[in-house]
Amino acid sequence: MKLFIDTGNIKDIETLAAIGIIDGVTTNPSLLAKEPGDYRQNLKKICDIVKGPVSGEVVATDFAGMIREGHDIATIDPHMVIKVPLTRDGIRACKALAGEGHKVNVTLVFSAAQALLAAKAGATFVSPFVGRLDDVATNGMELIREIVDIYDNYEFKTEVLVASCRHPIHIVEAARMGADVCTCPPSVIDQLFNHPLTNIGLEKFLKDWEKAQAVKA
Ligand code: E4P
């Protein structure tokens, strides 16, 4: 399963990309709005760092505007993926942009029916938001199971990109269900590394080693 970082913060992306386990980046207007500087230049820097798919989202809500902004996003770098919302105009824009050979990520997906539309429109990625579903007392991971089943039934090529991940269990469950990608904020990726027994075990190994060296000296 691929792991994307869900942020527009260049420093966080540099830090995690240096470890070598990051396959791509997702951004959205809220995330990019938090960062200083020009968003196009920031997206270009992100592409140079990760050299994998980087989603940049349109803010137009009409078909013509989405196509115009989508074309502009695609000129930033060959790694750019055009992100469009799951609306009628968004699905129409997805179909048109995918038809021109662009990679499209359909975002703000909250139902299996919506995910079916994204696949039919030729999306490269579909982004169901599991955390935001959990927030309204609906099991977000159940939606992932439904989408994976439907896509498998018809061999849709669209990759299931689990978005709005809030904790490591979302990621582990997504991997067990066969989702293609998880995108997570840097804090959640950090949590994946942590286990108290690793820290305790490492501390003991190092202490034992030091003791043995002292005896030999
Ligand atoms: C996905 O591409 C979105 O940027 C994202 O995962 C939204 O997550 P949130 O619900 O934590 O804002």
Side-chain angles (χ1 to χ4, degrees):
M1 187 181 70
K2 285 173 263 189
L3 206 50
F4 288 2
I5 319 179
D6 195 31
T7 184
N9 187 278
I10 310 266
K11 242 192 162 58
D12 285 344
I13 293 168
E14 274 173 343
T15 306
L16 286 168
I19 300 172
I21 42 92
I22 297 303
D23 303 292
V25 173
T26 49
T27 67
N28 62 41
S30 307
L31 292 172
L32 287 180
K34 282 194 237 168
E35 302 303 325
D38 173 66
Y39 81 95
R40 291 180 96 266
Q41 283 174 13
N42 288 345
L43 285 170
K44 175 67 185 154
K45 273 187 213 156
I46 294 171
C47 289
D48 290 342
I49 298 165
V50 299
K51 296 187 175 60
V54 175
S55 291
E57 189 164 341
V58 301
V59 289
T61 53
D62 64 303
F63 172 73
M66 287 186 196
I67 296 293
R68 197 174 50 248
E69 289 179 15
H71 286 159
D72 180 57
I73 288 167
T75 63
I76 295 173
D77 188 276
H79 290 105
M80 287 304 302
V81 176
I82 305 162
K83 206 172 180 191
V84 299
L86 192 304
T87 58
R88 283 174 175 75
D89 285 47
I91 286 296
R92 188 177 161 205
C94 174
K95 179 83 182 175
L97 290 165
E100 292 170 5
H102 295 294
K103 288 191 169 162
V104 183
N105 176 354
V106 176
T107 189
L108 291 170
V109 168
F110 294 95
S111 77
Q114 291 179 321
L116 183 59
L117 296 177
K120 287 185 68 65
T124 304
F125 300 105
V126 65
S127 292
F129 280 35
V130 295
R132 292 193 196 185
L133 278 171
D134 291 353
D135 289 345
V136 293
T138 303
N139 187 339
M141 293 315 295
E142 267 313 306
L143 173 60
I144 302 305
R145 196 187 300 282
E146 286 180 58
I147 298 173
V148 169
D149 278 353
I150 292 168
Y151 283 12
D152 282 353
N153 284 346
Y154 296 97
E155 296 180 5
F156 282 124
K157 299 273 176 290
T158 303
E159 294 189 35
V160 181
L161 192 168
V162 182
S164 186
C165 290
R166 301 275 164 79
H167 48 68
I169 297 296
H170 277 151
I171 297 152
V172 172
E173 284 190 15
R176 293 183 67 184
M177 289 174 189
D180 302 282
V181 192
C182 266
T183 190
C184 336
S187 57
V188 174
I189 294 181
D190 277 339
Q191 286 178 305
L192 295 177
F193 287 91
N194 299 339
H195 198 290
L197 290 179
T198 304
N199 302 338
I200 292 166
L202 182 60
E203 202 178 320
K204 179 161 170 26
F205 284 158
L206 296 180
K207 266 196 190 133
D208 289 346
W209 183 256
E210 261 172 46
K211 253 191 257 164
Q213 301 311 305
V215 170
K216 284 179 193 168

